[in-house]
């Protein structure tokens, strides 16, 4: 199988026939062995019925339907488990991404050796104020924090080498951070291609302004988890030590000064409360570290490595 085309969708009934015909055209022109995996993320319109009708006319079309709306990340994750193509391409269902980009994306993976190629909607057909501007800001922060040189992390049009989609798990709302997840999993060759973007033809956008708040929080989680999930004590323990030491020094200073001069007031001094608070925070952080260690020790993913090669075994 050359290609798996993965399409998450939520209430996109109008776009599906057009999209599927367009993809088919590109596949036939290039003579690819392919599959199209539609993931219906709990649509309440006729999307699933249309997918079944399309499957009746083209056996390369496959479908997964969720019981309810779990979100784009869950849809992508499920399709990645099912995909069998050497290269996996993700595409939004709303016709904003052009299937004509697929051959070049595939070529970059196969011939130029990229693990992941992300689309870059350089000229974007969305609302400038509510989407394009905040998105620029979000991308700039993500670029800085993760040191991945991409302009458009959240582009729905992406291409992956098969072992990348099999090696990462997209949980929560992490579809905006897939390049980061891939980098943490050790896939370093991440590239970018300017892609054509088109205005939404049917229906409405499924994400509101809260995407930027959530996107930012997810960025914090993903960098924290990527760095410390296997060793939570290194984070909590070091800050715990800092706070506890500060508290201890203040307490020792206060006790010594009280011994030297018994008339000095103790409990009505700000320093006393600062020392006390610092000691408590320090201990709390240690406690959080120990709990984190227990959780990570018992988590099923504690030893999940991706083995690249073996010899003599
Ligand atoms: N989508 C989904 N589940 C959701 C929300 C969206 O599968 O809960 C799909 C949606 O149908 C579309 C893609 O994710 O195919 C991108 O969504 P949308 O076009 O609304 O996002 P935007 O282009 O506004 O960023
Ligand atoms: Mg869209």
């Amino acid at each position: 199988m050359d290609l798996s085309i993965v399409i998450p969708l939520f209430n996109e009934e109008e776009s599906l026939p057009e999209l599927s015909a367009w993809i088919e055209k590109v596949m036939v022109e290039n003579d690819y062995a392919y599959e199209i995996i539609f993931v219906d993320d709990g649509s309440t319109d006729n999307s699933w019925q249309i997918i079944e009708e399309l499957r009746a006319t083209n056996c390369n079309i496959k479908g997964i339907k969720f019981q309810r709306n779990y979100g784009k990340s869950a849809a992508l994750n499920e399709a990645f488990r099912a995909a069998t193509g050497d290269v996996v391409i993700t595409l939004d269902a709303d016709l904003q991404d052009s299937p004509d980009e697929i051959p070049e994306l595939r070529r970059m993976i196969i011939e130029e050796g990229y693990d992941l190629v992300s689309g870059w909607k350089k000229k974007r057909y969305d609302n400038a104020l509510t989407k394009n501007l905040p998105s620029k800001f979000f991308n700039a922060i993500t670029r800085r924090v993760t040191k991945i040189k991409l302009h458009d992390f959240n582009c729905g049009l992406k291409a992956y080498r098969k072992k990348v989609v099999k090696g990462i798990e997209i949980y929560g709302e992490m579809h905006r951070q897939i390049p980061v997840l891939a980098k943490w999993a050790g896939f370093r060759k991440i590239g970018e291609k300017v892609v054509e973007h088109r205005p939404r033809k049917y229906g409405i956008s499924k994400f509101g302004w809260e995407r930027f708040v959530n996107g930012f929080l997810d960025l914090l989680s993903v960098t924290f988890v990527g760095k410390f999930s296997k060793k939570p004590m290194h984070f909590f323990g070091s800050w715990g030590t800092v706070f506890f030491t500060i508290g201890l020094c203040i307490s020792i200073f206060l006790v010594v000064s009280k011994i030297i001069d018994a008339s000095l007031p103790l409990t009505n001094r700000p320093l006393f409360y600062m020392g006390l608070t610092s000691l408590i925070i320090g201990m709390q952080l240690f406690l959080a570290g120990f709990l984190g260690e227990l959780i990570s020790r018992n988590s099923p993913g504690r030893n999940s490595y991706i083995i690249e090669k073996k010899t003599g075994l």
Side-chain angles (χ1 to χ4, degrees), residues 92 94 96 131 200:
D92 283 354
D94 53 0
Q96 289 200 269
K131 255 170 134 174
R200 202 180 229 282

Side-chain angles (χ1 to χ4, degrees), residues 254-268:
L254 288 175
V255 169
V256 170
S257 49
K258 185 78 180 169
I259 293 171
I260 294 170
D261 181 357
S263 67
L264 268 180
L266 202 63
T267 52
N268 62 351

Side-chain angles (χ1 to χ4, degrees), residues 8-10 12 41 69 71-72 75 92-94 96 124 131 200 204-207 211:
L9 61 114
F10 177 54
E12 308 280 6
D41 185 13
N69 179 236
K72 192 178 177 183
D92 283 354
D94 53 0
Q96 289 200 269
R124 221 178 139 166
K131 255 170 134 174
R200 202 180 229 282
I204 50 160
S205 171
K206 308 299 183 297
F207 298 100
R211 71 169 79 203

